Amino acid sequence: MTVRPIRIAVQVQPQHAPYEKIRDVAAELEDMGVDVLFNWDHFFPLYGEKDGLHFESWTMLAALAEQTSRVEIGALVNCNSYRNADLQADMARTIDHISAKGGTGRFIFGTGSGWFERDYDEYGYEFGTVGSRLNDLGDALPRIEARWEKLNPAPTRKIPVLIGGGGEKKTLRLVAKHADIWHSFSDGPTLERKLGILAQHGEAVGRDVSEVEISTEIGNRSLEEVEEQVALGASLFTIGIGGPDYDLSGIAEWLSWRDDKNASR
């Protein structure tokens, strides 16, 4: 098993808060020492008042790329359905450069097949089926990778691809073929089973999936449950926070836990 440093991410949900608040929270989180800042790619709130304040993902990520200097940034996750594949690649490359500040970019291309039907209906996208959306993602990923090879200037680094989702037949096969990071909401036993399935897909496509970083949620999990996931190979853990009053309590404790774990690895 590849031993990676433990990393803590915070998903700043872009809902129910003015942008100024989101910007200030992002700055505070970077100062606290979190490793990754995520938002999400939706057009309406997922929780609370359904027509409450909400902001678009990619334009926000470009602003965060300029604002920050250390943390990695990305969507958890981008919806493949909303943008042409080659455009997604170009947008990702541009944010990669914005975030580089003369060095290496900090953008993570987190992506998935989409699921929130209201986004599709109100913005005029075809919702299709779970299967058709996953097929579209499978078609898009090679185009995105190919476009990165053609862009001038090229990305500053191999942009990490994070794929979100736990589907065992299609999603995990896409993870085995394309992902640098796999994100799911799995508990310990589920994660262990799905990692076995991921390894089978890796064998089928000729890839050692130990190269894939395992990402999951802290959520309401206990320290014991998170430690169980670490033992299974997970190393990137996300805490989700939502507006209008983003609760940062508890994050410092998880950062301290991260530091202690990394000191002993």
Side-chain angles (χ1 to χ4, degrees):
M1 179 187 299
T2 301
V3 178
R4 294 182 174 83
I6 300 297
R7 302 199 291 162
I8 296 294
V10 177
Q11 184 186 52
V12 183
Q13 300 163 1
Q15 60 176 8
H16 303 309
Y19 181 72
E20 294 81 1
K21 179 67 173 179
I22 296 171
R23 180 179 59 210
D24 291 347
V25 166
E28 185 171 356
L29 289 167
E30 181 171 49
D31 288 344
M32 289 177 69
V34 303
D35 298 290
V36 185
L37 292 177
F38 288 122
N39 62 14
W40 65 33
D41 187 22
H42 295 288
F43 305 132
F44 302 95
L46 298 186
Y47 313 114
E49 169 52 49
K50 68 177 184 178
D51 293 317
L53 299 177
H54 198 278
F55 290 98
E56 193 275 328
S57 171
W58 280 85
T59 45
M60 180 181 293
L61 290 171
L64 291 175
E66 188 62 61
Q67 170 188 338
T68 57
S69 60
R70 181 191 56 78
V71 291
E72 290 191 284
I73 56 172
L76 192 66
V77 289
N78 167 67
C79 178
N80 177 68
S81 305
Y82 302 157
R83 301 161 195 92
N84 168 280
D86 293 82
L87 174 61
Q88 292 179 61
D90 204 340
M91 293 163 68
R93 181 280 311 257
T94 300
I95 296 178
D96 167 72
H97 276 264
I98 294 170
S99 68
K101 308 280 181 76
T104 301
R106 296 175 285 115
F107 182 72
I108 296 171
F109 181 67
T111 194
S113 58
W115 63 274
F116 191 41
E117 190 168 2
R118 184 185 181 191
D119 285 346
Y120 287 79
D121 291 345
E122 295 216 26
Y123 276 62
Y125 298 105
E126 181 181 351
F127 189 55
T129 65
V130 172
S132 69
R133 294 193 299 275
L134 279 167
N135 290 341
D136 289 344
L137 178 61
D139 291 340
L141 285 165
R143 286 177 57 189
I144 291 165
E145 294 164 349
R147 180 58 56 186
W148 282 335
E149 296 292 328
K150 299 174 183 177
L151 289 169
N152 184 16
T156 68
R157 65 171 179 170
K158 181 188 182 300
I159 296 175
V161 174
L162 179 156
I163 295 178
E168 296 177 0
K169 292 183 179 179
K170 291 186 176 182
T171 302
L172 289 181
R173 189 172 183 88
L174 292 176
V175 170
K177 291 179 68 174
H178 299 282
D180 301 287
I181 307 169
W182 169 51
H183 181 84
S184 76
F185 299 89
S186 304
D187 59 21
T190 304
L191 180 62
E192 184 173 22
R193 179 172 57 81
K194 289 183 183 292
L195 286 171
I197 295 168
L198 178 60
Q200 293 173 7
H201 284 301
E203 291 177 4
V205 303
R207 185 181 179 201
D208 178 1
V209 294
S210 68
E211 299 173 356
V212 179
E213 183 175 14
I214 307 305
S215 169
T216 186
E217 301 286 318
I218 288 180
N220 295 319
R221 292 196 172 103
S222 67
L223 177 60
E224 181 180 4
E225 291 171 314
V226 173
E227 291 278 10
E228 180 184 14
Q229 294 184 328
V230 171
L232 291 168
S235 60
L236 177 57
F237 295 90
T238 297
I239 302 164
I241 56 173
D245 299 313
Y246 291 99
D247 183 4
L248 307 188
S249 65
I251 292 175
E253 292 182 11
W254 283 110
L255 292 173
S256 178
W257 167 79
R258 173 203 66 188
D259 294 343
D260 290 343
K261 292 294 291 186
N262 287 337
S264 64
R265 287 166 85 82

